[in-house]
Amino acid sequence: MHSFFYFIRKLLLWIALLGAGNLALAQLRLPKVFSDHMILQRTKPIPVWGSAKAGERITIEFGGQRYHTITGRDGKWRVQMAAMNAGGPYVMSVFGEESTQEALTFKDILIGDVWIASGQSNMEWQVSQSQNAGQEIKNANYPAIRFFNVPHAKQVVPQDTLAGGSWVSMDTAGVKTASAVAYFFARSLHGDLKVPIGIVQSTWGGTPVEAWTSRPKLLESPITKSRVMTNDSITAAHFVKDSLDLLKFWDIVYKADTSIVSSVTGMAYNDSRWRTIEMPATLKDMNMPGYEGIVWLRRELAVGADIPGAVDLSIELGHPEMNYSVYINGREIAKTEWNANLSHKYNIPSGLLKKGRNVVAVRMAFLWGGGGFNPASDGMYVSAGNTRFSLAGTWKFMTDMEASLPTIKNYHRYPSYLYNAMINPIVSYGAKGFLWYQGEDNASAPDEYRSLFPMMIRDWRERWGQGYLPFLYVQLANYMKRQEMPAESDWAKLREAQTMTLSEPNTGMAVIIDVGAADDIHPKNKQEVGRRLALLAKKQVYQQNIQAQSPVYKNHQIEGQRLRVTFEETGKGLKTSDGKEVKGFAIAGSDGKFHWAEASIQGNNVIVSAPGVANPVAVRYAWADNPACNLVNSAGLPAVPFRTDPPKNK
């Protein structure tokens, strides 16, 4: 309840600030990305901008120079300061000569290279959540690597300034919440270049590329034009309602109805009208597609003998959905929130399990297409010493016993709303280039991504007005269950769309098809992801003579019953990452049916054939959600997944 009233107070303050907007415009101000400890881009004219009283003379003192401008009728002003070499620290003073307001002074400013890092959760993933987090945090001591983390915000119209944020040095305190990918990228560059590295991080998990693209650009595309125009009736009031609904949503998820708990978990409860399901099973098996809400599940457990009090008792639930509570004979023995561990094992208090009939009840939140218990069946049991009682088999379940979850609109996913609040306020901040890790949220429509992703890149470059700034991005990692036979894959198609985007000038793609995990959409090895992005930057941006690109398909030739596939970017030659035979190739004949192929390396070529394909016409490599593949170049960089059969436009 306290958090609810805190939210209301913040909302009222926000409304009050809106009313004071005209007064604020009369005050000298700069966007929040200009602050103490900031890093400004070296060797380029440095843009600085803000607002003040219309017609006021603005002066900036920086680096021993003075700059002047006059605000326009709209109260906005802009200055291009002279380019400077890496160095610092400096102090910047900004003041209006007709104002009684004190000068705005920013201290401890460094000149170096600034990269804009954006995308969804894999770019947002923090150093504290990454592989070897404890050691990485302990060793962080980089006062010349600094992050500005743009706070989450959404707006229906473009904003001039951010909701908050400040520049933070990468020490043991500041590094914890920084983007792991961007931090490891910055650390690698800083180690080589010996110049300050600034990262402006603007990220939000679970967001599509169109949320990060401006409205005018989206209106140019037939894919997004109607979506954008449909949302024209949405206002900030809709955001407020959605926020209130979200509070209610999580209140229902986390706080069980106590009267239902006391009734449903008891041994005397009559569940004869409940539906049955053979567990383990997930939502897709339960004949209620798309259900979202609280589901109660019950199972009776027969114990054939008295259990001595000294025996260790536990319950193992296998791999259930992440938000749930467990009850045995009416007593709660575990409550978990966002538990994604592979093992869900809990102790059972002595004396709770009885000879004869017992009842296990589970209250579970079915959210976003997930719910139930994932296989395998041997992971669900009650353990009494050396004896196991299986929990697999028939369970009963019931929906809608508690309050329904309100529908959450998730406006942060709507076209242009994140651009308006989290990109537009930093547009034109001096930068060396962009870093991008996103695509998971667009994987259900990979054909659209072929247009939407390069469109966003062009949009940002046009608005920054600093030429073809380097745009380096991460291709989707391997993820989900590995398929035994060649099959179609939306994730493979999304990776293909990302590869096609290399046709945009001054772009680079880090391939991480070997870094992912079948059961984790957020692979923890962000060090390698950041390193591979840094390799691209060192080669393409800083002109170092290194092998930075992955092997990429060049062409293929049909040689009787086999195919010869030629690669570029092989370095000193192709090899396999594990020293074993090449894996990951499949070929098809004129029937279009793909078969796993045998493959061998010959210089920059791979010779591919399959016993079941006498006249091959097409070849694929690493074409799956989670492919088994091992082809790399001499630098150990994995080959880019590809197919030679033409994409089919929808």
Side-chain angles (χ1 to χ4, degrees), residues 452-473:
L452 297 183
F453 182 33
M455 183 174 73
M456 189 208 75
I457 294 174
R458 293 191 294 270
D459 185 32
W460 285 17
R461 285 172 166 170
E462 290 168 9
R463 293 182 176 279
W464 249 265
Q466 295 174 26
Y468 287 108
L469 285 175
F471 197 103
L472 310 180
Y473 57 94

Side-chain angles (χ1 to χ4, degrees), residues 194-208:
K194 310 301 182 187
V195 301
I197 302 293
I199 300 289
V200 179
Q201 177 185 339
S202 185
T203 54
W204 195 325
T207 53

Side-chain angles (χ1 to χ4, degrees), residues 361-477:
V362 176
R363 177 189 186 267
M364 184 178 290
F366 280 48
L367 304 176
W368 312 316
F373 297 88
N374 293 283
S377 60
D378 59 1
M380 301 179 67
Y381 57 86
V382 168
S383 177
N386 294 325
T387 304
R388 284 188 177 184
F389 304 95
S390 176
L391 291 175
T394 303
W395 283 63
K396 292 190 173 183
F397 70 97
M398 181 61 73
T399 61
D400 302 321
M401 298 190 71
E402 298 187 47
S404 298
L405 296 176
T407 299
I408 306 303
K409 298 295 186 180
N410 291 317
Y411 288 113
H412 63 285
R413 293 172 45 80
Y414 279 42
S416 80
Y417 288 178
L418 295 191
Y419 173 87
N420 291 340
M422 298 178 65
I423 297 298
N424 196 71
I426 60 173
V427 159
S428 76
Y429 191 84
K432 190 70 172 179
F434 301 105
L435 305 175
W436 179 258
Y437 190 167
Q438 188 273 342
E440 299 90 341
D441 207 66
N442 288 91
S444 61
D447 296 328
E448 292 184 356
Y449 203 74
R450 294 185 214 161
S451 299
L452 297 183
F453 182 33
M455 183 174 73
M456 189 208 75
I457 294 174
R458 293 191 294 270
D459 185 32
W460 285 17
R461 285 172 166 170
E462 290 168 9
R463 293 182 176 279
W464 249 265
Q466 295 174 26
Y468 287 108
L469 285 175
F471 197 103
L472 310 180
Y473 57 94
V474 182
Q475 191 180 52
L476 291 188

Side-chain angles (χ1 to χ4, degrees), residues 309-324:
V311 172
D312 291 332
L313 300 175
S314 63
I315 183 171
E316 170 67 66
L317 295 175
H319 194 186
E321 182 64 14
M322 292 184 285
N323 293 283
Y324 64 88

Side-chain angles (χ1 to χ4, degrees), residues 22-54:
N22 291 333
L23 177 62
L25 284 175
Q27 301 296 317
L28 173 64
R29 64 173 185 170
L30 278 73
K32 288 184 171 61
V33 71
F34 294 98
S35 71
D36 293 343
H37 318 300
M38 63 181 155
I39 295 182
L40 299 174
Q41 179 58 45
R42 62 173 172 155
T43 65
K44 292 182 179 181
I46 301 171
V48 183
W49 68 95
S51 60
K53 179 181 177 182

Side-chain angles (χ1 to χ4, degrees), residues 268-315:
Y269 181 79
N270 181 3
D271 60 12
S272 61
R273 300 181 63 183
W274 288 26
R275 297 159 63 187
T276 60
I277 183 71
E278 295 298 306
M279 288 292 180
T282 56
L283 179 63
K284 69 180 186 305
D285 307 308
M286 300 174 72
N287 197 28
M288 48 181 194
Y291 179 82
E292 190 166 79
I294 304 301
V295 177
W296 277 94
L297 306 104
R298 279 171 53 97
R299 189 194 193 282
E300 292 194 4
L301 179 68
V303 176
D306 287 324
I307 299 173
V311 172
D312 291 332
L313 300 175
S314 63
I315 183 171

Side-chain angles (χ1 to χ4, degrees), residues 568-644:
E568 297 178 310
E569 296 295 344
T570 59
K572 296 179 181 179
L574 294 170
K575 61 181 181 177
T576 58
S577 58
D578 53 9
K580 299 179 181 179
E581 293 182 352
V582 180
K583 296 182 295 186
F585 282 90
I587 62 174
S590 58
D591 62 357
K593 184 176 181 180
F594 280 86
H595 302 260
W596 293 128
E598 298 174 355
S600 60
I601 297 171
Q602 292 184 3
N604 292 337
N605 303 321
V606 177
I607 310 303
V608 187
S609 63
V613 184
N615 299 296
V617 298
V619 57
R620 293 179 174 183
Y621 175 74
W623 192 265
D625 298 332
N626 183 14
C629 54
N630 62 353
L631 185 66
V632 299
N633 60 17
S634 58
L637 299 172
V640 179
F642 71 91
R643 61 176 172 178
T644 64

